[in-house]
Amino acid sequence: MALLTMFTAIILHLLLLTPFSPVLKADDKLIQIECHNAEVPSTCIQCLQSDQRSQKADGVGIATIIVSCLKNHAQNLAAKMSHLASGAKDKEMKNRFEECSQGFSSAMKELSSATIRLKKAKYDDAERSVNKALNCYNLNCQSIIQSNKHTPKHVVYSMRIYEEISEAANRVIERL
């Protein structure tokens, strides 16, 4: 009898510590719904699943996480472009890499503004900030993608991911 009581207590304890799976499925459904309208839903989903906050996030929380993911990519790409500029022997490419690095730095400022605006429920302004961040990238970095023979493939790939996350951020924010 004591063994049965102890066994029951252990099972009850484990059940209380184990997350209830339907709750996790519901949050995954929200992520699927929010990323559904992105051109590349898999990139959107991957961004959200990489952040633990997404399991408890509502629509605004999801938008904030995507913008945060985008800002992290901008920060990494700014550093990569700066590094490429410092090692470039071709003056024209050095200038392109520097301009692109500055574009990503400007984008990070816009994305910080977007996060603040999301928290203040100024969704149209947040979307404009994300668009400005993408414009900073487009104006300063498109020539690098077009002449990617001087740019490592992993950097070009990261730039494409940045574009995809930007698009996902816009789609999620416009639905708020």
Side-chain angles (χ1 to χ4, degrees):
M1 183 72 168
L3 185 60
L4 184 60
T5 305
M6 188 168 81
F7 181 72
T8 305
I10 290 171
I11 296 295
L12 182 60
H13 181 71
L14 288 174
L15 286 173
L16 291 175
L17 293 177
T18 305
F20 185 64
S21 60
V23 174
L24 294 176
K25 295 288 185 205
D27 295 330
D28 285 342
K29 283 183 183 179
L30 180 59
I31 289 171
Q32 295 284 334
I33 290 167
E34 291 298 332
C35 291
H36 175 74
N37 291 324
E39 285 180 22
V40 185
S42 60
T43 302
C44 176
I45 291 167
Q46 186 176 10
C47 168
L48 289 168
Q49 289 179 340
S50 70
D51 192 309
Q52 293 175 349
R53 298 175 296 169
S54 66
Q55 289 300 320
K56 297 180 182 175
D58 59 1
V60 174
I62 285 175
T64 303
I65 291 167
I66 294 173
V67 170
S68 176
C69 191
L70 188 57
K71 187 176 174 188
N72 289 339
H73 270 70
Q75 185 175 18
N76 290 334
L77 283 163
K80 285 179 184 179
M81 291 301 156
S82 181
H83 178 73
L84 289 171
S86 68
K89 301 202 186 308
D90 182 321
K91 186 159 177 90
E92 181 183 342
M93 284 310 297
K94 180 181 181 82
N95 289 338
R96 286 183 184 182
F97 290 137
E98 286 173 348
E99 287 174 5
C100 188
S101 179
Q102 291 169 358
F104 282 119
S105 294
S106 297
M108 287 187 314
K109 292 174 189 168
E110 288 297 334
L111 295 168
S112 292
S113 294
T115 301
I116 292 167
R117 291 172 172 150
L118 284 169
K119 291 178 181 176
K120 292 182 176 182
K122 295 184 176 185
Y123 306 130
D124 289 340
D125 293 340
E127 188 177 358
R128 277 191 281 282
S129 291
V130 171
N131 283 326
K132 285 181 184 178
L134 186 57
N135 286 338
C136 292
Y137 161 78
N138 284 334
L139 292 172
N140 296 300
C141 302
Q142 282 301 316
S143 64
I144 290 173
I145 288 181
Q146 292 165 353
S147 67
N148 67 11
K149 61 184 173 188
H150 298 287
T151 310
K153 289 181 182 181
H154 73 277
V155 174
V156 173
Y157 175 78
S158 293
M159 293 170 77
R160 298 238 187 260
I161 295 296
Y162 179 86
E163 292 174 0
E164 292 174 5
I165 297 170
S166 295
E167 192 273 331
N170 277 329
R171 297 297 76 77
V172 170
I173 292 170
E174 72 187 12
R175 290 172 46 107
L176 295 176

